[in-house]
Amino acid sequence: MSKLGLAFGGGGARGLAHIGVLKVLDAEGIEINSITGCSIGALVGGMYAYYGKAKKVEEFILGIIKNPKFLELEIDKFNGKTKKHDKTYFEQFFDYIGMRIKALKSLSSPSYFDDFITKEIYEIIPDVPIENLKINFSSIATDLISGEEINYTKGSLRDAIRASSAIPGIFPPVKLENYLLVDGSASESVPVAKVREIGADRVVAVDVTKCLKVVEHPQNIFEILYRTQDITSFHLSVVRLKEADLVIRPQLNQLTWADYDNAAEIIAAGEIAAKNNLNEIKKLINRNSYLLEIEHFIKKMKGESYAENNFSN
């Protein structure tokens, strides 16, 4: 019997598309053996492994987005869009000043949001052992000290998700064991290989990385940081996704990681993408395991050959 694994990448609000993919798989009665996620992918994947139902995951995460504590973070200010129809000029001006004062204060701390506020937000996530979940699950985090990629397959679900989604500079690093952990996307954009390690023999990757289009010249530090992150994620994804059996790419246009107010649109985009790939998903599930192993071996050999040709000198 085939063991389907899902690899959920990071991307902030864009990663809500993972929920849409899960909703379609649930509706089709497609059984999932394993999920590995990083950043928002860890949150969606972890909660699915906990609940076993996409609809419950959707209700849970939409509840977080509407939670007063989450709204107080005003993450939408990071999307670079102004809402002139909602606020007066002076209200926008004071928002602008307030955000930059907070940014200056954060220069003397490890993150824009402090540890106390962040812990309050994550308390809503169940503090249960990963090894007791209904579906095999793991999440990726990155150790700031060693640069090592850490794949959490056991321990606290809450801690693993918080570490995996600690966006550098935005949320504080998480101290676990001897590690100082930040967002898994810093080292692993879409964790295809890791989901095989926890039981999957065929993998569908959901990539929510922004496409690299020519943009206007960045005008400030935030725009430069966002752009460099997009570039890094894109090129890392290109490499990682070669290991997937099927890649699903929801059409999210230029929505940013901070566009949580577009949650319904993003989830719907995930559903559309999954439906468009449904026949391919079913074919993959029914593929002969031996043929898949041969294909994986060939892909691995091609990858090693590429590495030798490009990095040996």
Side-chain angles (χ1 to χ4, degrees), residues 11-45:
R14 293 169 63 88
L16 297 176
H18 300 317
I19 298 174
V21 173
L22 289 169
K23 289 174 70 174
V24 172
L25 297 181
D26 273 6
E28 293 292 325
I30 295 174
E31 185 176 343
I32 299 165
N33 173 272
S34 311
I35 302 177
T36 296
C38 60
S39 198
I40 186 71
L43 175 59
V44 174

PDB file of all heavy atoms in Angstrom, residues 11-45:
ATOM      1  N   GLY A  11       5.934  30.516   3.980  1.00  0.00           N
ATOM      2  CA  GLY A  11       5.511  31.651   3.159  1.00  0.00           C
ATOM      3  C   GLY A  11       4.529  32.547   3.877  1.00  0.00           C
ATOM      4  O   GLY A  11       3.833  33.336   3.251  1.00  0.00           O
ATOM      5  N   GLY A  12       4.465  32.411   5.212  1.00  0.00           N
ATOM      6  CA  GLY A  12       3.546  33.239   5.978  1.00  0.00           C
ATOM      7  C   GLY A  12       2.119  33.011   5.544  1.00  0.00           C
ATOM      8  O   GLY A  12       1.681  31.877   5.339  1.00  0.00           O
ATOM      9  N   ALA A  13       1.370  34.090   5.349  1.00  0.00           N
ATOM     10  CA  ALA A  13      -0.043  33.995   4.978  1.00  0.00           C
ATOM     11  C   ALA A  13      -0.243  33.194   3.695  1.00  0.00           C
ATOM     12  O   ALA A  13      -1.267  32.516   3.528  1.00  0.00           O
ATOM     13  CB  ALA A  13      -0.627  35.394   4.821  1.00  0.00           C
ATOM     14  N   ARG A  14       0.707  33.237   2.785  1.00  0.00           N
ATOM     15  CA  ARG A  14       0.599  32.484   1.536  1.00  0.00           C
ATOM     16  C   ARG A  14       0.448  30.981   1.817  1.00  0.00           C
ATOM     17  O   ARG A  14      -0.164  30.251   1.041  1.00  0.00           O
ATOM     18  CB  ARG A  14       1.824  32.731   0.656  1.00  0.00           C
ATOM     19  CG  ARG A  14       1.940  34.161   0.137  1.00  0.00           C
ATOM     20  CD  ARG A  14       3.301  34.430  -0.505  1.00  0.00           C
ATOM     21  NE  ARG A  14       3.534  33.596  -1.669  1.00  0.00           N
ATOM     22  CZ  ARG A  14       3.165  33.917  -2.905  1.00  0.00           C
ATOM     23  NH1 ARG A  14       2.542  35.062  -3.126  1.00  0.00           N
ATOM     24  NH2 ARG A  14       3.423  33.115  -3.908  1.00  0.00           N
ATOM     25  N   GLY A  15       0.999  30.536   2.935  1.00  0.00           N
ATOM     26  CA  GLY A  15       0.937  29.123   3.307  1.00  0.00           C
ATOM     27  C   GLY A  15      -0.435  28.658   3.751  1.00  0.00           C
ATOM     28  O   GLY A  15      -0.655  27.462   3.955  1.00  0.00           O
ATOM     29  N   LEU A  16      -1.376  29.583   3.891  1.00  0.00           N
ATOM     30  CA  LEU A  16      -2.748  29.177   4.200  1.00  0.00           C
ATOM     31  C   LEU A  16      -3.328  28.356   3.048  1.00  0.00           C
ATOM     32  O   LEU A  16      -4.319  27.651   3.213  1.00  0.00           O
ATOM     33  CB  LEU A  16      -3.619  30.402   4.467  1.00  0.00           C
ATOM     34  CG  LEU A  16      -3.225  31.253   5.684  1.00  0.00           C
ATOM     35  CD1 LEU A  16      -4.112  32.491   5.775  1.00  0.00           C
ATOM     36  CD2 LEU A  16      -3.320  30.449   6.972  1.00  0.00           C
ATOM     37  N   ALA A  17      -2.698  28.434   1.884  1.00  0.00           N
ATOM     38  CA  ALA A  17      -3.117  27.620   0.741  1.00  0.00           C
ATOM     39  C   ALA A  17      -3.003  26.132   1.052  1.00  0.00           C
ATOM     40  O   ALA A  17      -3.712  25.311   0.454  1.00  0.00           O
ATOM     41  CB  ALA A  17      -2.273  27.972  -0.485  1.00  0.00           C
ATOM     42  N   HIS A  18      -2.124  25.762   1.978  1.00  0.00           N
ATOM     43  CA  HIS A  18      -1.998  24.358   2.376  1.00  0.00           C
ATOM     44  C   HIS A  18      -3.335  23.814   2.889  1.00  0.00           C
ATOM     45  O   HIS A  18      -3.658  22.645   2.695  1.00  0.00           O
ATOM     46  CB  HIS A  18      -0.943  24.198   3.470  1.00  0.00           C
ATOM     47  CG  HIS A  18       0.437  24.638   3.070  1.00  0.00           C
ATOM     48  ND1 HIS A  18       1.005  24.337   1.853  1.00  0.00           N
ATOM     49  CD2 HIS A  18       1.386  25.353   3.750  1.00  0.00           C
ATOM     50  CE1 HIS A  18       2.226  24.848   1.792  1.00  0.00           C
ATOM     51  NE2 HIS A  18       2.481  25.470   2.930  1.00  0.00           N
ATOM     52  N   ILE A  19      -4.083  24.670   3.556  1.00  0.00           N
ATOM     53  CA  ILE A  19      -5.385  24.259   4.088  1.00  0.00           C
ATOM     54  C   ILE A  19      -6.308  23.864   2.939  1.00  0.00           C
ATOM     55  O   ILE A  19      -7.021  22.858   3.002  1.00  0.00           O
ATOM     56  CB  ILE A  19      -6.028  25.395   4.916  1.00  0.00           C
ATOM     57  CG1 ILE A  19      -5.149  25.738   6.122  1.00  0.00           C
ATOM     58  CG2 ILE A  19      -7.433  24.995   5.370  1.00  0.00           C
ATOM     59  CD1 ILE A  19      -5.642  26.957   6.909  1.00  0.00           C
ATOM     60  N   GLY A  20      -6.301  24.665   1.870  1.00  0.00           N
ATOM     61  CA  GLY A  20      -7.132  24.365   0.712  1.00  0.00           C
ATOM     62  C   GLY A  20      -6.782  23.031   0.085  1.00  0.00           C
ATOM     63  O   GLY A  20      -7.665  22.260  -0.319  1.00  0.00           O
ATOM     64  N   VAL A  21      -5.491  22.727   0.005  1.00  0.00           N
ATOM     65  CA  VAL A  21      -5.046  21.439  -0.536  1.00  0.00           C
ATOM     66  C   VAL A  21      -5.574  20.304   0.330  1.00  0.00           C
ATOM     67  O   VAL A  21      -6.116  19.305  -0.179  1.00  0.00           O
ATOM     68  CB  VAL A  21      -3.506  21.385  -0.617  1.00  0.00           C
ATOM     69  CG1 VAL A  21      -3.041  19.984  -1.022  1.00  0.00           C
ATOM     70  CG2 VAL A  21      -2.983  22.421  -1.612  1.00  0.00           C
ATOM     71  N   LEU A  22      -5.463  20.442   1.642  1.00  0.00           N
ATOM     72  CA  LEU A  22      -5.934  19.404   2.561  1.00  0.00           C
ATOM     73  C   LEU A  22      -7.441  19.206   2.460  1.00  0.00           C
ATOM     74  O   LEU A  22      -7.937  18.075   2.553  1.00  0.00           O
ATOM     75  CB  LEU A  22      -5.550  19.773   3.996  1.00  0.00           C
ATOM     76  CG  LEU A  22      -4.060  19.669   4.337  1.00  0.00           C
ATOM     77  CD1 LEU A  22      -3.776  20.304   5.696  1.00  0.00           C
ATOM     78  CD2 LEU A  22      -3.612  18.207   4.339  1.00  0.00           C
ATOM     79  N   LYS A  23      -8.182  20.276   2.258  1.00  0.00           N
ATOM     80  CA  LYS A  23      -9.642  20.174   2.135  1.00  0.00           C
ATOM     81  C   LYS A  23     -10.030  19.313   0.937  1.00  0.00           C
ATOM     82  O   LYS A  23     -10.962  18.497   1.017  1.00  0.00           O
ATOM     83  CB  LYS A  23     -10.268  21.568   2.026  1.00  0.00           C
ATOM     84  CG  LYS A  23     -10.227  22.360   3.323  1.00  0.00           C
ATOM     85  CD  LYS A  23     -10.723  23.790   3.141  1.00  0.00           C
ATOM     86  CE  LYS A  23     -12.214  23.849   2.895  1.00  0.00           C
ATOM     87  NZ  LYS A  23     -12.698  25.249   2.861  1.00  0.00           N
ATOM     88  N   VAL A  24      -9.323  19.475  -0.173  1.00  0.00           N
ATOM     89  CA  VAL A  24      -9.611  18.684  -1.362  1.00  0.00           C
ATOM     90  C   VAL A  24      -9.248  17.218  -1.133  1.00  0.00           C
ATOM     91  O   VAL A  24     -10.013  16.304  -1.497  1.00  0.00           O
ATOM     92  CB  VAL A  24      -8.857  19.249  -2.584  1.00  0.00           C
ATOM     93  CG1 VAL A  24      -8.985  18.315  -3.779  1.00  0.00           C
ATOM     94  CG2 VAL A  24      -9.382  20.633  -2.932  1.00  0.00           C
ATOM     95  N   LEU A  25      -8.107  16.963  -0.520  1.00  0.00           N
ATOM     96  CA  LEU A  25      -7.696  15.583  -0.250  1.00  0.00           C
ATOM     97  C   LEU A  25      -8.689  14.898   0.683  1.00  0.00           C
ATOM     98  O   LEU A  25      -9.022  13.719   0.496  1.00  0.00           O
ATOM     99  CB  LEU A  25      -6.288  15.560   0.355  1.00  0.00           C
ATOM    100  CG  LEU A  25      -5.155  16.097  -0.538  1.00  0.00           C
ATOM    101  CD1 LEU A  25      -3.821  16.004   0.170  1.00  0.00           C
ATOM    102  CD2 LEU A  25      -5.106  15.342  -1.863  1.00  0.00           C
ATOM    103  N   ASP A  26      -9.160  15.621   1.677  1.00  0.00           N
ATOM    104  CA  ASP A  26     -10.177  15.073   2.586  1.00  0.00           C
ATOM    105  C   ASP A  26     -11.453  14.729   1.825  1.00  0.00           C
ATOM    106  O   ASP A  26     -12.047  13.664   2.016  1.00  0.00           O
ATOM    107  CB  ASP A  26     -10.509  16.077   3.694  1.00  0.00           C
ATOM    108  CG  ASP A  26      -9.581  15.953   4.894  1.00  0.00           C
ATOM    109  OD1 ASP A  26      -8.615  15.166   4.823  1.00  0.00           O
ATOM    110  OD2 ASP A  26      -9.809  16.647   5.903  1.00  0.00           O
ATOM    111  N   ALA A  27     -11.896  15.652   0.980  1.00  0.00           N
ATOM    112  CA  ALA A  27     -13.136  15.449   0.225  1.00  0.00           C
ATOM    113  C   ALA A  27     -13.047  14.230  -0.694  1.00  0.00           C
ATOM    114  O   ALA A  27     -14.051  13.554  -0.946  1.00  0.00           O
ATOM    115  CB  ALA A  27     -13.455  16.700  -0.598  1.00  0.00           C
ATOM    116  N   GLU A  28     -11.826  13.939  -1.157  1.00  0.00           N
ATOM    117  CA  GLU A  28     -11.618  12.791  -2.046  1.00  0.00           C
ATOM    118  C   GLU A  28     -11.311  11.504  -1.274  1.00  0.00           C
ATOM    119  O   GLU A  28     -11.145  10.450  -1.890  1.00  0.00           O
ATOM    120  CB  GLU A  28     -10.468  13.089  -3.017  1.00  0.00           C
ATOM    121  CG  GLU A  28     -10.765  14.200  -4.012  1.00  0.00           C
ATOM    122  CD  GLU A  28     -11.834  13.814  -5.018  1.00  0.00           C
ATOM    123  OE1 GLU A  28     -11.870  12.628  -5.410  1.00  0.00           O
ATOM    124  OE2 GLU A  28     -12.629  14.693  -5.402  1.00  0.00           O
ATOM    125  N   GLY A  29     -11.232  11.614   0.034  1.00  0.00           N
ATOM    126  CA  GLY A  29     -10.943  10.428   0.853  1.00  0.00           C
ATOM    127  C   GLY A  29      -9.532   9.915   0.679  1.00  0.00           C
ATOM    128  O   GLY A  29      -9.262   8.725   0.883  1.00  0.00           O
ATOM    129  N   ILE A  30      -8.606  10.792   0.309  1.00  0.00           N
ATOM    130  CA  ILE A  30      -7.202  10.399   0.109  1.00  0.00           C
ATOM    131  C   ILE A  30      -6.476  10.375   1.448  1.00  0.00           C
ATOM    132  O   ILE A  30      -6.422  11.386   2.147  1.00  0.00           O
ATOM    133  CB  ILE A  30      -6.511  11.352  -0.876  1.00  0.00           C
ATOM    134  CG1 ILE A  30      -7.147  11.220  -2.260  1.00  0.00           C
ATOM    135  CG2 ILE A  30      -5.011  11.078  -0.941  1.00  0.00           C
ATOM    136  CD1 ILE A  30      -6.650  12.205  -3.288  1.00  0.00           C
ATOM    137  N   GLU A  31      -5.936   9.233   1.795  1.00  0.00           N
ATOM    138  CA  GLU A  31      -5.263   9.063   3.086  1.00  0.00           C
ATOM    139  C   GLU A  31      -3.834   9.587   3.036  1.00  0.00           C
ATOM    140  O   GLU A  31      -3.099   9.336   2.081  1.00  0.00           O
ATOM    141  CB  GLU A  31      -5.257   7.580   3.477  1.00  0.00           C
ATOM    142  CG  GLU A  31      -4.685   7.313   4.850  1.00  0.00           C
ATOM    143  CD  GLU A  31      -4.769   5.852   5.250  1.00  0.00           C
ATOM    144  OE1 GLU A  31      -5.552   5.117   4.620  1.00  0.00           O
ATOM    145  OE2 GLU A  31      -4.055   5.442   6.182  1.00  0.00           O
ATOM    146  N   ILE A  32      -3.464  10.309   4.076  1.00  0.00           N
ATOM    147  CA  ILE A  32      -2.121  10.884   4.167  1.00  0.00           C
ATOM    148  C   ILE A  32      -1.338  10.148   5.242  1.00  0.00           C
ATOM    149  O   ILE A  32      -1.790  10.021   6.379  1.00  0.00           O
ATOM    150  CB  ILE A  32      -2.196  12.386   4.489  1.00  0.00           C
ATOM    151  CG1 ILE A  32      -2.944  13.114   3.375  1.00  0.00           C
ATOM    152  CG2 ILE A  32      -0.797  12.985   4.660  1.00  0.00           C
ATOM    153  CD1 ILE A  32      -3.380  14.504   3.738  1.00  0.00           C
ATOM    154  N   ASN A  33      -0.168   9.674   4.872  1.00  0.00           N
ATOM    155  CA  ASN A  33       0.667   8.932   5.815  1.00  0.00           C
ATOM    156  C   ASN A  33       1.549   9.845   6.650  1.00  0.00           C
ATOM    157  O   ASN A  33       1.698   9.646   7.860  1.00  0.00           O
ATOM    158  CB  ASN A  33       1.545   7.935   5.053  1.00  0.00           C
ATOM    159  CG  ASN A  33       2.569   7.244   5.937  1.00  0.00           C
ATOM    160  OD1 ASN A  33       3.686   7.739   6.133  1.00  0.00           O
ATOM    161  ND2 ASN A  33       2.184   6.101   6.498  1.00  0.00           N
ATOM    162  N   SER A  34       2.122  10.881   6.016  1.00  0.00           N
ATOM    163  CA  SER A  34       3.109  11.724   6.694  1.00  0.00           C
ATOM    164  C   SER A  34       3.051  13.163   6.187  1.00  0.00           C
ATOM    165  O   SER A  34       2.736  13.406   5.027  1.00  0.00           O
ATOM    166  CB  SER A  34       4.529  11.181   6.453  1.00  0.00           C
ATOM    167  OG  SER A  34       4.610   9.793   6.698  1.00  0.00           O
ATOM    168  N   ILE A  35       3.381  14.088   7.089  1.00  0.00           N
ATOM    169  CA  ILE A  35       3.483  15.502   6.725  1.00  0.00           C
ATOM    170  C   ILE A  35       4.721  16.098   7.386  1.00  0.00           C
ATOM    171  O   ILE A  35       4.950  15.897   8.586  1.00  0.00           O
ATOM    172  CB  ILE A  35       2.266  16.314   7.186  1.00  0.00           C
ATOM    173  CG1 ILE A  35       0.967  15.762   6.603  1.00  0.00           C
ATOM    174  CG2 ILE A  35       2.422  17.785   6.778  1.00  0.00           C
ATOM    175  CD1 ILE A  35      -0.279  16.492   7.091  1.00  0.00           C
ATOM    176  N   THR A  36       5.502  16.811   6.605  1.00  0.00           N
ATOM    177  CA  THR A  36       6.595  17.603   7.165  1.00  0.00           C
ATOM    178  C   THR A  36       6.405  19.041   6.691  1.00  0.00           C
ATOM    179  O   THR A  36       6.111  19.286   5.521  1.00  0.00           O
ATOM    180  CB  THR A  36       7.970  17.092   6.712  1.00  0.00           C
ATOM    181  OG1 THR A  36       8.166  15.771   7.219  1.00  0.00           O
ATOM    182  CG2 THR A  36       9.090  17.986   7.245  1.00  0.00           C
ATOM    183  N   GLY A  37       6.545  19.973   7.612  1.00  0.00           N
ATOM    184  CA  GLY A  37       6.349  21.366   7.250  1.00  0.00           C
ATOM    185  C   GLY A  37       7.404  22.266   7.843  1.00  0.00           C
ATOM    186  O   GLY A  37       8.082  21.902   8.813  1.00  0.00           O
ATOM    187  N   CYS A  38       7.545  23.432   7.245  1.00  0.00           N
ATOM    188  CA  CYS A  38       8.391  24.453   7.856  1.00  0.00           C
ATOM    189  C   CYS A  38       7.608  25.755   7.870  1.00  0.00           C
ATOM    190  O   CYS A  38       6.809  26.030   6.972  1.00  0.00           O
ATOM    191  CB  CYS A  38       9.727  24.606   7.130  1.00  0.00           C
ATOM    192  SG  CYS A  38       9.638  25.085   5.412  1.00  0.00           S
ATOM    193  N   SER A  39       7.793  26.525   8.946  1.00  0.00           N
ATOM    194  CA  SER A  39       7.128  27.801   9.123  1.00  0.00           C
ATOM    195  C   SER A  39       5.607  27.613   9.142  1.00  0.00           C
ATOM    196  O   SER A  39       5.089  26.780   9.869  1.00  0.00           O
ATOM    197  CB  SER A  39       7.580  28.769   8.032  1.00  0.00           C
ATOM    198  OG  SER A  39       7.292  30.097   8.397  1.00  0.00           O
ATOM    199  N   ILE A  40       4.853  28.353   8.330  1.00  0.00           N
ATOM    200  CA  ILE A  40       3.399  28.202   8.304  1.00  0.00           C
ATOM    201  C   ILE A  40       3.018  26.778   7.903  1.00  0.00           C
ATOM    202  O   ILE A  40       1.978  26.258   8.316  1.00  0.00           O
ATOM    203  CB  ILE A  40       2.764  29.232   7.338  1.00  0.00           C
ATOM    204  CG1 ILE A  40       1.224  29.187   7.403  1.00  0.00           C
ATOM    205  CG2 ILE A  40       3.243  29.006   5.918  1.00  0.00           C
ATOM    206  CD1 ILE A  40       0.629  29.715   8.663  1.00  0.00           C
ATOM    207  N   GLY A  41       3.870  26.140   7.105  1.00  0.00           N
ATOM    208  CA  GLY A  41       3.630  24.747   6.716  1.00  0.00           C
ATOM    209  C   GLY A  41       3.662  23.809   7.912  1.00  0.00           C
ATOM    210  O   GLY A  41       2.944  22.808   7.952  1.00  0.00           O
ATOM    211  N   ALA A  42       4.492  24.143   8.904  1.00  0.00           N
ATOM    212  CA  ALA A  42       4.544  23.346  10.126  1.00  0.00           C
ATOM    213  C   ALA A  42       3.272  23.521  10.944  1.00  0.00           C
ATOM    214  O   ALA A  42       2.751  22.577  11.539  1.00  0.00           O
ATOM    215  CB  ALA A  42       5.766  23.726  10.958  1.00  0.00           C
ATOM    216  N   LEU A  43       2.763  24.755  10.976  1.00  0.00           N
ATOM    217  CA  LEU A  43       1.525  25.021  11.718  1.00  0.00           C
ATOM    218  C   LEU A  43       0.351  24.277  11.091  1.00  0.00           C
ATOM    219  O   LEU A  43      -0.382  23.559  11.788  1.00  0.00           O
ATOM    220  CB  LEU A  43       1.246  26.523  11.748  1.00  0.00           C
ATOM    221  CG  LEU A  43      -0.091  26.944  12.382  1.00  0.00           C
ATOM    222  CD1 LEU A  43      -0.178  26.480  13.825  1.00  0.00           C
ATOM    223  CD2 LEU A  43      -0.280  28.459  12.299  1.00  0.00           C
ATOM    224  N   VAL A  44       0.166  24.437   9.784  1.00  0.00           N
ATOM    225  CA  VAL A  44      -0.958  23.776   9.110  1.00  0.00           C
ATOM    226  C   VAL A  44      -0.808  22.255   9.181  1.00  0.00           C
ATOM    227  O   VAL A  44      -1.752  21.535   9.521  1.00  0.00           O
ATOM    228  CB  VAL A  44      -1.055  24.233   7.639  1.00  0.00           C
ATOM    229  CG1 VAL A  44      -2.132  23.441   6.900  1.00  0.00           C
ATOM    230  CG2 VAL A  44      -1.356  25.725   7.570  1.00  0.00           C
ATOM    231  N   GLY A  45       0.390  21.760   8.869  1.00  0.00           N
ATOM    232  CA  GLY A  45       0.625  20.320   8.883  1.00  0.00           C
ATOM    233  C   GLY A  45       0.493  19.721  10.272  1.00  0.00           C
ATOM    234  O   GLY A  45      -0.086  18.646  10.443  1.00  0.00           O
TER     235      GLY A  45
END
